[in-house]
Amino acid sequence: PPLYKQRYQFVKDLVEKYKPKKVADLGCADCRLLWMLKFCRCIEVLAGLDICASVMKEKMHMLSPLPIDYLQPSERSLTVTLHHGSVAHKDPCMLGFDLVTCIELIEHLEESELKKFPEVVFGFMAPSMVVISTPNSEFNPLLPGVTLHRHPDHKFEWTQAQFQSWALETAKCYGYSVEFTGVGHPPTGMESVGFCTQIGVFVRKYPQTGESVQSEEPIEAVYKTVFKAVY
Ligand code: SAM
């Protein structure tokens, strides 16, 4: 299957394994991963965030309940919301999630946004688990036609060492552990190149205390809700 499907499947497998109830996808683009996740029966709250409202709106109708959902209502409740905003800004609507996914997002962030990202995701949202995927630049020579970056909008592409040192530093700073994996295997004999897509799975080390949930000053809402469906 194409690489993007392998990334989505990786997240879906993780959801089936750990059964988070509340999942937020940051940089959700056309909501394809959210659409896949709505079939995971453990999920009760799904949220998407993207800085580009038009790409989110393209296929968001796919997240609406179908006639069958009304004719055969299931036991679980499911709320799906889409927000327009940036991962560089905090918004209270992103609190209380069990799993936050950032699939092929960080390489699109400007330096200033990437700097704020750890505090927003790990410090503020502070979910029990965070999944971050990004291209592995060491794999690029194996991809036909790739010169500098795989996509012109990428602000950077990291080697395994660069991603791992950023991830380990971030994890240490916010009390998470991190493990590295990926999708898209290198050819036999070239294992040192690593996966085509590198993935970090971060797990919060300590249960959240009331203090870390409640910040000193209440955080103002800055995201705009562009879609909401209640099943
Ligand atoms: N996660 C999707 C996937 O794997 O198919 C889409 C990845 S796409 C390559 C990156 C997305 O991140 C784009 O939809 C872009 O609009 C979004 N994005 C870029 N900067 C962002 C920011 N600061 N806050 C939120 N989303 C952002």
Side-chain angles (χ1 to χ4, degrees):
L3 208 58
Y4 77 91
K5 284 197 177 157
Q6 294 183 50
R7 291 191 285 261
Y8 298 165
Q9 192 59 48
F10 178 88
V11 172
K12 202 172 179 203
D13 291 344
L14 213 64
V15 165
E16 301 291 1
K17 183 167 174 197
Y18 293 100
K19 311 232 179 291
K21 286 187 176 157
K22 301 183 178 187
V23 180
D25 185 31
L26 312 184
C28 65
D30 62 3
C31 309
R32 261 198 259 201
L33 175 59
L34 291 170
W35 180 79
M36 263 180 81
L37 294 179
K38 96 181 174 113
F39 299 98
C40 298
R41 306 187 64 92
C42 58
I43 298 180
E44 294 172 5
V45 175
L46 261 182
L49 172 73
D50 205 286
I51 201 166
C52 179
S54 56
V55 69
M56 258 193 308
K57 286 177 182 171
E58 265 172 39
K59 296 200 181 93
M60 71 182 181
H61 60 270
M62 287 177 57
L63 297 172
S64 296
L66 301 167
I68 186 87
D69 291 309
Y70 294 115
L71 293 168
Q72 296 179 347
S74 75
E75 289 287 292
R76 65 136 179 194
S77 72
L78 173 64
T79 304
V80 186
T81 48
L82 296 178
H83 306 279
H84 178 216
S86 171
V87 291
H89 299 135
K90 298 174 184 176
D91 187 295
C93 74
M94 284 292 147
L95 291 174
F97 285 88
D98 304 308
L99 170 65
V100 167
T101 55
C102 310
I103 305 305
E104 306 298 277
L105 166 69
I106 60 171
E107 67 276 9
H108 293 268
L109 301 179
E110 301 283 354
E111 207 179 323
S112 62
E113 296 175 309
L114 184 69
K115 258 205 186 118
K116 291 180 187 149
F117 173 86
E119 172 55 26
V120 175
V121 173
F122 296 92
F124 176 70
M125 298 183 193
S128 354
M129 191 179 276
V130 179
V131 178
I132 296 181
S133 85
T134 195
N136 164 17
S137 66
E138 288 166 78
F139 202 97
N140 287 356
L142 299 176
L143 300 171
V146 172
T147 45
L148 177 62
H149 289 158
R150 294 181 196 179
H151 191 280
D153 190 50
H154 289 177
K155 309 298 186 292
F156 58 86
E157 285 176 0
W158 280 338
T159 61
Q160 297 173 86
Q162 285 172 314
F163 176 55
Q164 292 181 14
S165 79
W166 176 84
L168 286 164
E169 186 57 42
T170 302
K172 191 172 133 200
C173 183
Y174 294 98
Y176 281 74
S177 61
V178 56
E179 284 186 15
F180 301 99
T181 176
V183 294
H185 283 273
T188 316
M190 301 192 74
E191 284 75 13
S192 65
V193 160
F195 292 100
C196 189
T197 296
Q198 39 187 350
I199 299 176
V201 179
F202 300 75
V203 176
R204 205 182 55 223
K205 284 188 187 167
Y206 315 104
Q208 243 184 340
T209 63
E211 233 170 306
S212 54
V213 181
Q214 303 260 302
S215 61
E216 327 265 283
E217 316 151 41
I219 300 281
E220 215 186 308
V222 291
Y223 298 168
K224 197 172 159 235
T225 303
V226 295
F227 175 89
K228 180 164 181 168
V230 181
Y231 284 66

